[in-house]
Every structure is written in C-alpha cells, then in structure tokens.
Amino acid sequence: MFFRNRDTEIKPAATPVKISSFITRNCKFEGEITTDDSIEISGDFIGNIDSKKEVIINEFGSVTGTIKADRVVTEGKISGKVTCNTFKGDKKSFTKEYIEAISVTIMGTFDGIIKCDELNVQESGIVKKSIQSKSIEVSGKIE
C-alpha cells in the first residue's frame, strides 16, 4: 500500500532517515510522486518520483521510470533515468539505462550510461556500456 506522512526510521546510510512515504512489498503503484521528504519503495512503481531528500529501493522493490532526488539508494531494480547528487547501488541491485549524479557507487550491476564527477565501482560491482566521469575508482568490473 501507499502511505503518506508516516514517520519511520530506517538506516540505509550512516544516519537514520525519516521516511514519510512508502510503497510496500507486493504492492504495485503507477503514477507520479512529488515529495519534500524521503520515500521507500519495497513494491513495484511505474512512473516519476521527485523527492527533495532520499529515495530508497529495497531488495524487493523496483522502479521503472524517472527518479529525481538528493540521494538514491537501491538494493532492488531501477529501469530508467536517475538524476541525483549521490547514488548508491548495493550488491543485490540491478540498475539500467541512465544515472547522472555527483557521486556514484556501484556494488551491484549497472547497464547503461553514467555521467558523474566521482565513480566508485566496488569489488562486487559491474558496469556495462558508457561512463563519463572526472574520477573513477574500480575494484569491480567495467565491461
């Protein structure tokens, strides 16, 4: 289900993030979300997300569409265009199409175009296709 203004603390980053919007597991939602707060996706979302804070996609979550946010953290799947300041794809994540960010960390798989200032491909990370970055650190694979 989709809930708004629910205050829950989770810890995908070093500090707790206040989540005020959810799409829960086994829930499918299609449309457009605009929020000043963070949002967590555990179900399937098709459409556009515009958050002034953080978008978190859990391991069961998927987003097909456009994401604009300050920070995007994913363990799930993203298919579409992501524009943010900071992007982090965890080990289980699969992201395809396009990321534009200041800082990108890939620990999962990315297939598409990355435009960023700093790219860090961790040991478990795989990047396929095109990279445009001022700084690249690679422990994983670039194919």
Side-chain angles (χ1 to χ4, degrees):
M1 297 184 85
F2 182 72
F3 300 96
R4 201 166 199 76
N5 296 326
R6 182 173 170 185
D7 295 334
T8 301
E9 300 282 332
I10 63 170
K11 294 185 180 184
T15 57
V17 176
K18 186 176 181 180
I19 303 296
S20 62
S21 301
F22 291 93
I23 297 176
T24 61
R25 188 173 174 188
N26 299 321
C27 179
K28 294 180 182 180
F29 184 84
E30 187 170 340
E32 193 163 318
I33 297 173
T34 302
T35 181
D36 291 337
D37 294 319
S38 297
I39 182 168
E40 180 180 340
I41 310 287
S42 295
D44 299 319
F45 178 81
I46 299 171
N48 301 316
I49 299 172
D50 189 347
S51 170
K52 292 197 172 156
K53 293 189 180 171
E54 187 167 34
V55 174
I56 300 162
I57 298 130
N58 287 328
E59 67 179 310
F60 302 107
S62 72
V63 173
T64 302
T66 301
I67 300 173
K68 289 182 184 178
D70 178 55
R71 178 177 160 95
V72 175
V73 177
T74 181
E75 295 177 314
K77 297 178 184 175
I78 299 173
S79 179
K81 182 177 180 179
V82 178
T83 305
C84 59
N85 288 320
T86 305
F87 178 91
K88 181 180 176 188
D90 285 333
K91 288 182 181 180
K92 296 179 182 179
S93 69
F94 178 79
T95 305
K96 68 177 185 176
E97 291 190 34
Y98 184 86
I99 298 172
E100 185 170 348
I102 294 170
S103 174
V104 174
T105 301
I106 303 291
M107 292 185 280
T109 302
F110 178 78
D111 186 358
I113 297 169
I114 297 176
K115 291 185 180 181
C116 63
D117 289 347
E118 299 173 8
L119 174 62
N120 185 345
V121 181
Q122 298 284 316
E123 188 174 333
S124 58
I126 299 171
V127 176
K128 302 175 184 180
K129 298 236 172 113
S130 175
I131 299 169
Q132 294 179 3
S133 180
K134 294 178 183 174
S135 170
I136 299 175
E137 182 179 326
V138 179
S139 299
K141 296 179 187 177
I142 297 178
E143 300 177 351

Coordinates of all heavy atoms in Angstrom, one line a residue, residues 6-12 15-20 22 40 56:
R6 N 3.8 9.0 7.3 CA 4.1 8.0 8.3 C 5.6 8.2 8.7 O 6.4 8.2 7.8 CB 3.8 6.7 7.7 CG 4.0 5.6 8.8 CD 3.6 4.3 8.2 NE 4.1 3.2 9.1 CZ 3.9 1.9 8.8 NH1 3.4 1.6 7.7 NH2 4.3 1.1 9.7
D7 N 5.8 8.4 10.0 CA 7.2 8.6 10.4 C 7.8 7.3 10.9 O 7.4 6.7 11.9 CB 7.2 9.6 11.6 CG 6.7 11.0 11.1 OD1 6.8 11.3 9.9 OD2 6.2 11.7 12.0
T8 N 8.8 6.8 10.1 CA 9.5 5.6 10.4 C 11.0 5.9 10.2 O 11.4 6.5 9.3 CB 9.1 4.5 9.4 OG1 7.7 4.3 9.6 CG2 9.8 3.2 9.7
E9 N 11.8 5.3 11.1 CA 13.3 5.5 11.0 C 13.9 4.2 10.4 O 13.5 3.1 10.8 CB 13.9 5.7 12.3 CG 13.4 6.9 13.0 CD 14.0 8.2 12.5 OE1 15.1 8.2 12.0 OE2 13.3 9.2 12.6
I10 N 14.7 4.3 9.3 CA 15.5 3.2 8.8 C 16.9 3.6 8.7 O 17.2 4.8 8.7 CB 14.9 2.7 7.5 CG1 15.1 3.7 6.4 CG2 13.5 2.2 7.6 CD1 14.8 3.2 5.0
K11 N 17.8 2.7 8.5 CA 19.2 3.1 8.5 C 20.0 2.6 7.2 O 20.8 1.7 7.3 CB 19.9 2.6 9.7 CG 19.4 3.2 11.0 CD 20.2 2.8 12.2 CE 19.7 3.4 13.4 NZ 20.5 3.1 14.6
P12 N 19.7 3.1 6.0 CA 20.5 2.7 4.9 C 21.8 3.4 4.8 O 22.7 3.0 4.1 CB 19.6 3.0 3.7 CG 18.8 4.2 4.2 CD 18.6 3.9 5.7
T15 N 23.4 7.8 9.1 CA 22.5 8.4 10.0 C 21.0 7.9 9.6 O 20.7 7.6 8.5 CB 22.5 9.9 9.9 OG1 22.3 10.3 8.6 CG2 23.9 10.4 10.4
P16 N 20.1 7.8 10.6 CA 18.8 7.4 10.3 C 18.1 8.4 9.4 O 18.3 9.6 9.4 CB 18.1 7.5 11.7 CG 19.2 7.4 12.7 CD 20.4 8.1 12.0
V17 N 17.2 7.9 8.5 CA 16.5 8.6 7.6 C 15.0 8.6 7.9 O 14.5 7.5 8.1 CB 16.7 8.1 6.1 CG1 15.9 8.8 5.1 CG2 18.2 8.1 5.8
K18 N 14.4 9.7 8.0 CA 12.9 9.8 8.3 C 12.2 9.5 7.0 O 12.3 10.3 6.0 CB 12.6 11.1 8.9 CG 11.2 11.2 9.3 CD 10.9 12.5 10.0 CE 9.5 12.6 10.5 NZ 9.3 13.9 11.2
I19 N 11.4 8.5 6.9 CA 10.6 8.1 5.7 C 9.2 8.5 6.0 O 8.6 8.1 7.0 CB 10.7 6.6 5.5 CG1 12.2 6.1 5.3 CG2 9.9 6.2 4.3 CD1 12.9 6.7 4.2
S20 N 8.6 9.2 5.0 CA 7.2 9.6 5.2 C 6.3 9.0 4.1 O 5.1 9.2 4.2 CB 7.1 11.2 5.2 OG 7.5 11.7 4.0
F22 N 5.7 5.4 1.6 CA 6.0 4.0 1.4 C 5.2 3.4 0.2 O 4.1 3.8 0.0 CB 5.6 3.1 2.5 CG 6.4 3.3 3.8 CD1 6.0 4.2 4.7 CD2 7.6 2.7 4.0 CE1 6.7 4.4 5.9 CE2 8.3 2.8 5.1 CZ 7.9 3.7 6.1
E40 N 10.4 5.3 0.5 CA 10.9 4.0 0.4 C 10.0 3.1 -0.5 O 8.8 3.1 -0.3 CB 10.9 3.3 1.8 CG 11.4 1.9 1.9 CD 11.4 1.4 3.3 OE1 11.4 2.1 4.3 OE2 11.5 0.1 3.4
I56 N 14.7 5.4 -1.5 CA 15.3 4.1 -1.1 C 14.5 3.0 -1.8 O 13.3 2.9 -1.6 CB 15.3 3.9 0.4 CG1 16.1 5.0 1.1 CG2 15.8 2.5 0.8 CD1 15.8 5.2 2.6

